[in-house]
Amino acid sequence: MTTVTTPAGRESQREPAGLPEAPVGHTTGWWAMVLFICTESATFAAALASYFYLRFIGSGPWPPVADSRPSLLVPSVGTAVLVLGCVPMGIAVRAARRPGRLLAWVSLVVTMLTGVAFVVLQIVDYRGEWPDSTLSKDAYGSLFYSITGLHGLHVAVGVLMVAVLVASTSLRRIGGGEAGPVRIVAMYWYFLAVLALAVYGTVYISPYL
Amino acid sequence: MPPTTQPTQPTTPDARPRTSSLRGVLAERASAEAAVGEKLDELWEEEPGLIGFITTVNHKRIGRRYLVTASFFFLLAGVNALIMRAQLGSPDNKLVDPELYNQLFSLHGTAMIFFFATPMNSGFGNFVVPLMIGTRDMAFPRLNALSYWIFLFSGLFMFSSLPLGLAPDGGWFAYVPLTGDKYLPGLNLDFYTLGLLFLAVSSTVGAINLIVTIIKMRAPGMSLNRMPLFVWAILTQSFMLVFALPPLDTANAMLFMDRRFHTRFFVPSDGGDAILWQHLFWLFGHPDVYIIVLPAMGMISSVIPTFSGRPILAYPFVVLATIATGIISFGVWVHHMFAVGLSDVSLSFFAAATLTISLPAGIQMFAWLGTLWRGRIVLSTAMLYAVGFLVAFTLGGVTGVMFAVVPFDQQVTDSYFVVAHFHYVLFGGAVLPILAGLFYWWPKITGRMTNARAGLWSFGLVFGGFNLTFFPMHIAGLLGMPRRIYTYQPGLGWTVWNVLSTVGAFVLAAGLLLTLGLFVHSLVRGERAPDDPWGANTLEWATGSPPKDYNFPVIPTVHSGNPLWDGRTLPSMVEHRHDPGRTLTEEHKTLRTSELDSRVEAVMTMPEETALPLLVAVLLTSMFVALLVSAYVAAGIIAGFMAVAVTWWLWHRPEVEPG
């Protein structure tokens, strides 16, 4: 046997199995979600940057004369609901680490409902805006619908993820100590809330500034 | 196994502080295989035949497929180029009409960048990285299969446009307003936008998979400061893909919507802006140059130390230069737009940034030169290509620095000088290293040696043909020949340079065909390769040639940055051969280690083979075809099916139900 001096080498001599008793550190799934969120952030950064680029490259008023400023009531409620949806999601993560499954199940269902409410409110908002500004009338309308629509689509995907978690919890595949998937989906859910604030600030608030 | 040294490649074992012979099976691996090989064989073996073909999740098979498929697209795009060179071989030539010529150069550029260079690097990444870091597969084997299938189908999608006469015809960077539906109606540009969005799915999941593999699955002891430079290059490149693809996707989605749904993103009369496309495209486009070149440089950093018989000089600086290149490359995109008419402040900033990015490239260049200087050089075919790269990339780099000078750039922009420059960078900087990498890892990939004499011819013809093709373009460009013209008149002084380029292109094609023949010959007739034919320093050479399905019978403890030369990493395979924590013979498993220090954290269960990735890729393909033919409802329904398939996939996690 060779003489080992490096930290890694010493360690492997002391514990031949080389394995910690319980798994530690972040899982590969956790890292994949972090990187997925990175690439999604870059997508939204490109979209929001395009919004401001097109706004400031032109010299006219924003929104253009033919459009009106977006109404604020419905999207404000929608964004608030989605952001507050982080609370039941957080509860679900904590609950999934404990033995019982009921609390995790209930909080996941509540989380899912906040997402559904957001998507419904977005459709309501579109119905209010549509005649005034449309996708193809001018660049303002194109940006308004494509950015909010892209975010709405992401929330719908998030709702689907949470729905799968609800089903897995019902079938006792997760929860009761097995919290990995809940943690990963929760990360995405928090990301959706941060995005909601960025989109809200850009598309709804910035035209008033 | 017969001993396999070749007459013109004398190996010099005395120069390499190693424990075992360069012939046959490494003694350490033989001992490890004897202990656990049989058990692992049963666990890791995949279905044979057609079922195995469509369900495989083995990173080596997927990596090989990436290499073969990308080479096939290289061939197709290369034929496009040969037709173009034949057309330009004489003035007023009528071989192809302007419409077809537009399609040829657009598809040539698009295919070479997106469907050859990037996926070729992914192929090497897929095959080599798990072996280099000492693990048994990628972090997400099923996702790996998915990214391959999507790459294949998106490439076929893109290339199917040419026989239909509908290939993209707006140049590879597809500037609006030309590419709007007003000026280029028809499906041509829809093939472009959809094809690239389609491929981006593959590149993104592939990049995430490689990053997670590299940070979570390195063998114990391979802390970040012992990670091979090729792995560093792939890691940096994958991070760049994660951040660079979104602007391109955003731009392509906007262009698609402008063309189909009459949104107004790029229509100035309605508040849009044509320059926005250029910003978004080049915000991807310049990092993409390094997405292609960095892994190629990583290959050079693998080849040069091996054939110099000494570790790379200034390892930390090369790592830092790699990362610095990756970061700075996001801040130089406007040098593609110097002639657009942006403000002087912006031009100065980006000119300075462009000058800066040549520094890390210089650092790497001097590290390679220093390694050669201090080493004992073995001129194998791979090494010849590596040295060819040093020359070609320096030339391409010098013209690159010239473009940082705004007035010069404005003078030569859109001329053949630019074409010459980026072919020196992309052919010299990427294709030559890829060939070096192919010759270097060929014995590992196929288990066969290549003929060294034929390799000399291959290098001579390819390198000579490459220079003869692209060097005259500098002069044609300085004489004012614009790029993308389908023909030119006699008496402009361009003819002779174009004739030289055309002759060079056919010499180059002959060299590449010879290389293909050489590889086929090696597959059929080549000598059997030993485990470590070159006396190399990195872990992939501690596996069989070709590697077993499980790569490593015993996951080694890595003791240095040159594990095969330190005399301790290889013996660790013998040492641990009865240690269940390293052999993992109970189930389909591998180790998960910590991000920085590579300490063991857990044992990961790996998924079995499955056809789900193929199913999802087929659904995605049909969705893009539906979008292409404006069947939006059908596309929506297919997206629903895809959601079900992906849910099914995630439901069956290997940790929950092994086997």
Side-chain angles (χ1 to χ4, degrees):
Chain A
M1 190 171 289
T2 46
T3 331
V4 277
T5 47
T6 59
R10 271 206 302 274
E11 189 184 60
S12 73
Q13 264 195 345
R14 244 186 270 133
E15 343 163 17
L19 281 176
E21 301 207 334
V24 292
H26 290 301
T27 60
T28 50
W30 188 91
W31 272 107
M33 182 53 87
V34 168
L35 291 162
F36 183 60
I37 288 173
C38 284
T39 190
E40 293 268 72
S41 312
T43 307
F44 277 89
L48 297 183
S50 302
Y51 182 95
F52 288 112
Y53 178 89
L54 289 181
R55 172 177 178 176
F56 292 114
I57 202 83
S59 47
W62 189 265
V65 190
D67 303 81
S68 61
R69 283 173 181 163
S71 60
L72 285 183
L73 179 66
V74 179
S76 305
V77 174
T79 306
V81 168
L82 193 69
V83 172
L84 289 175
C86 293
V87 175
M89 190 80 236
I91 295 173
V93 175
R94 284 164 172 271
R97 295 198 181 116
R98 298 209 194 91
R101 285 192 169 80
L102 184 63
L103 181 58
W105 191 87
V106 170
S107 44
L108 283 172
V109 170
V110 174
T111 310
M112 191 170 72
L113 290 179
T114 63
V116 173
F118 177 85
V119 174
V120 170
L121 286 172
Q122 191 172 54
I123 294 167
V124 172
D125 182 42
Y126 281 2
R127 290 175 66 100
E129 296 285 342
W130 185 262
D132 229 10
S133 71
T134 68
L135 192 64
S136 55
K137 190 171 171 188
D138 49 34
Y140 171 78
S142 306
L143 287 164
F144 176 86
Y145 287 103
S146 55
I147 293 177
T148 53
L150 185 68
H151 181 243
L153 206 64
H154 278 73
V155 175
V157 171
V159 167
L160 187 70
M161 289 185 190
V162 180
V164 173
L165 288 186
V166 170
S168 311
T169 317
S170 311
L171 294 171
R172 310 178 70 81
R173 290 169 70 98
I174 59 168
E178 164 64 16
V182 187
R183 259 183 92 198
I184 292 172
V185 172
M187 216 172 9
Y188 191 67
W189 197 260
Y190 303 149
F191 168 65
L192 290 175
V194 173
L195 272 187
L197 290 174
V199 170
Y200 179 74
T202 304
V203 174
Y204 293 103
I205 300 298
S206 84
Y208 288 92
L209 302 176
Chain B
M1 260 180 227
T4 52
T5 40
Q6 293 161 48
T8 50
Q9 295 180 6
T11 42
T12 50
D14 54 317
R16 297 171 177 77
R18 296 214 5 190
T19 50
S20 305
S21 99
L22 297 173
R23 301 173 179 197
V25 179
L26 290 173
E28 293 86 347
R29 184 173 80 85
S31 147
E33 295 281 3
V36 286
E38 261 177 57
K39 280 190 202 164
L40 288 169
D41 250 339
E42 278 169 32
L43 276 174
W44 286 81
E45 205 177 25
E46 294 195 305
E47 287 274 336
L50 183 67
I51 294 177
F53 183 82
I54 60 176
T55 60
T56 185
V57 293
N58 180 326
H59 77 97
K60 295 175 291 296
R61 282 180 89 173
I62 294 168
R64 283 204 302 265
R65 281 177 194 181
Y66 256 109
L67 296 176
V68 170
T69 311
S71 304
F72 174 67
F73 292 143
F74 177 73
L75 202 73
L76 293 181
V79 170
N80 289 352
L82 280 182
I83 299 172
M84 285 191 283
R85 276 319 322 167
Q87 161 69 15
L88 292 175
S90 59
D92 284 334
N93 198 352
K94 300 238 168 4
L95 180 68
V96 293
D97 56 26
E99 283 74 29
L100 180 59
Y101 192 84
N102 286 349
Q103 297 189 12
L104 287 173
F105 73 67
S106 304
L107 191 60
H108 168 75
T110 308
M112 283 297 191
I113 297 277
F114 294 101
F115 294 94
F116 162 65
T118 319
M120 197 74 183
N121 288 333
S122 306
F124 281 107
N126 259 304
F127 189 94
V128 177
V129 163
L131 296 171
M132 253 188 184
I133 63 176
T135 185
R136 288 183 175 164
D137 208 325
M138 298 279 282
F140 304 102
R142 296 179 298 178
L143 209 55
N144 202 21
L146 176 71
S147 65
Y148 170 72
W149 291 119
I150 295 178
F151 157 55
L152 172 68
F153 294 147
S154 61
L156 294 177
F157 178 89
M158 188 67 101
F159 270 101
S160 69
S161 63
L162 192 60
L164 295 173
L166 292 170
D169 49 1
W172 86 274
F173 43 71
Y175 275 5
V176 289
L178 172 65
T179 49
D181 54 346
K182 191 169 165 197
Y183 301 106
L184 288 179
L187 290 179
N188 308 50
L189 258 297
D190 299 322
F191 269 107
Y192 175 90
T193 55
L194 290 175
L196 292 188
L197 282 168
F198 190 6
L199 176 72
V201 180
S202 160
S203 313
T204 306
V205 295
I208 290 177
N209 201 349
L210 277 164
I211 295 173
V212 177
T213 305
I214 293 170
I215 59 183
K216 289 306 294 183
M217 301 184 64
R218 300 190 310 276
M222 187 182 278
S223 46
L224 279 185
N225 57 341
R226 292 174 179 169
M227 205 161 81
L229 289 170
F230 178 69
V231 181
W232 271 112
I234 290 283
L235 182 66
T236 312
Q237 178 230 20
S238 301
F239 267 108
M240 291 171 71
L241 277 170
V242 163
F243 289 102
L245 280 172
L248 178 73
D249 297 341
T250 307
N252 274 318
M254 285 174 167
L255 182 56
F256 180 74
M257 291 201 291
D258 263 17
R259 293 174 59 84
R260 285 295 177 81
F261 306 124
H262 307 293
T263 54
R264 289 290 181 267
F265 294 113
F266 303 125
V267 184
S269 58
D270 290 317
D273 184 55
I275 307 301
L276 176 62
W277 168 270
Q278 300 190 18
H279 280 297
L280 289 173
F281 186 90
W282 290 117
L283 184 50
F284 153 81
H286 201 84
D288 192 57
V289 173
Y290 292 96
I291 284 169
I292 291 169
V293 171
L294 277 183
M297 289 172 151
M299 294 176 203
I300 296 300
S301 298
S302 297
V303 170
I304 285 186
T306 295
F307 295 109
S308 303
R310 57 153 291 144
I312 188 100
L313 193 79
Y315 169 92
F317 287 94
V318 179
V319 172
L320 289 175
T322 304
I323 298 169
T325 308
I327 293 168
I328 303 171
S329 73
F330 281 87
V332 298
W333 79 90
V334 168
H335 74 223
H336 296 270
M337 300 164 62
F338 278 164
V340 165
L342 303 175
S343 73
D344 287 348
V345 179
S346 141
L347 298 194
S348 321
F349 173 83
F350 283 97
T354 305
L355 287 170
T356 313
I357 204 167
S358 60
L359 297 180
I363 292 173
Q364 299 196 60
M365 190 60 77
F366 284 109
W368 293 319
L369 290 178
T371 311
L372 289 170
W373 185 297
R374 300 280 303 277
R376 290 176 55 172
I377 295 173
V378 178
L379 269 184
S380 65
T381 313
M383 187 65 159
L384 285 171
Y385 272 109
V387 174
F389 156 85
L390 295 182
V391 174
F393 191 69
T394 305
L395 284 171
V398 167
T399 49
V401 174
M402 289 157 80
F403 289 130
V405 183
V406 179
F408 179 80
D409 180 275
Q410 291 174 339
Q411 192 66 36
V412 296
T413 193
D414 268 344
S415 77
Y416 257 83
F417 192 85
V418 177
V419 180
H421 158 72
F422 66 68
H423 280 92
Y424 264 85
V425 173
L426 292 176
F427 196 102
V431 180
L432 293 180
I434 282 170
L435 283 165
L438 266 182
F439 277 100
Y440 180 59
W441 283 303
W442 185 262
K444 192 50 61 188
I445 295 172
T446 64
R448 305 279 183 157
M449 303 301 291
T450 52
N451 183 302
R453 267 248 304 270
L456 200 63
W457 275 97
S458 150
F459 171 73
L461 283 174
V462 169
F463 191 72
F466 153 70
N467 281 297
L468 187 57
T469 309
F470 298 114
F471 197 84
M473 289 183 185
H474 288 113
I475 301 162
L478 290 176
L479 292 175
M481 181 169 169
R483 65 194 284 197
R484 294 180 171 161
I485 48 170
Y486 82 105
T487 192
Y488 51 93
Q489 289 168 345
L492 293 169
W494 303 344
T495 313
V496 58
W497 308 112
N498 276 288
V499 170
L500 286 177
S501 281
T502 301
V503 171
F506 283 90
V507 174
L508 177 56
L512 289 169
L513 275 181
L514 177 92
T515 311
L516 182 64
L518 186 163
F519 283 132
V520 172
H521 174 267
S522 156
L523 274 184
V524 182
R525 290 261 157 115
E527 284 179 277
R528 294 268 171 200
D531 285 1
D532 180 15
W534 316 122
N537 56 345
T538 39
L539 268 185
E540 76 271 27
W541 303 102
T543 63
S545 295
K548 302 272 195 184
D549 286 337
Y550 47 84
N551 296 351
F552 294 88
V554 178
I555 295 177
T557 300
V558 175
H559 288 275
S560 74
N562 301 283
L564 264 61
W565 290 350
D566 62 21
R568 290 191 293 172
T569 301
L570 277 177
S572 79
M573 285 172 44
V574 182
E575 217 172 284
H576 292 299
R577 73 187 185 283
H578 300 301
D579 175 353
R582 289 302 176 82
T583 56
L584 308 168
T585 50
E586 298 309 311
E587 272 175 76
H588 205 220
K589 286 182 164 177
T590 190
L591 286 180
R592 193 186 82 204
T593 53
S594 66
E595 291 82 2
L596 303 179
D597 295 335
S598 241
R599 291 176 199 280
V600 178
E601 285 183 346
V603 175
M604 275 173 63
T605 309
M606 305 301 280
E608 300 289 334
E609 61 262 49
T610 162
L612 262 178
L614 181 59
L615 175 70
V616 174
V618 167
L619 285 172
L620 193 66
T621 311
S622 41
M623 189 183 97
F624 274 99
V625 172
L627 286 175
L628 181 75
V629 299
S630 311
Y632 303 115
V633 178
I637 294 170
I638 296 166
F641 279 118
M642 215 155 56
V644 174
V646 171
T647 306
W648 177 264
W649 172 332
L650 292 173
W651 191 265
H652 294 276
R653 288 177 300 133
E655 303 91 65
V656 180
E657 39 191 55

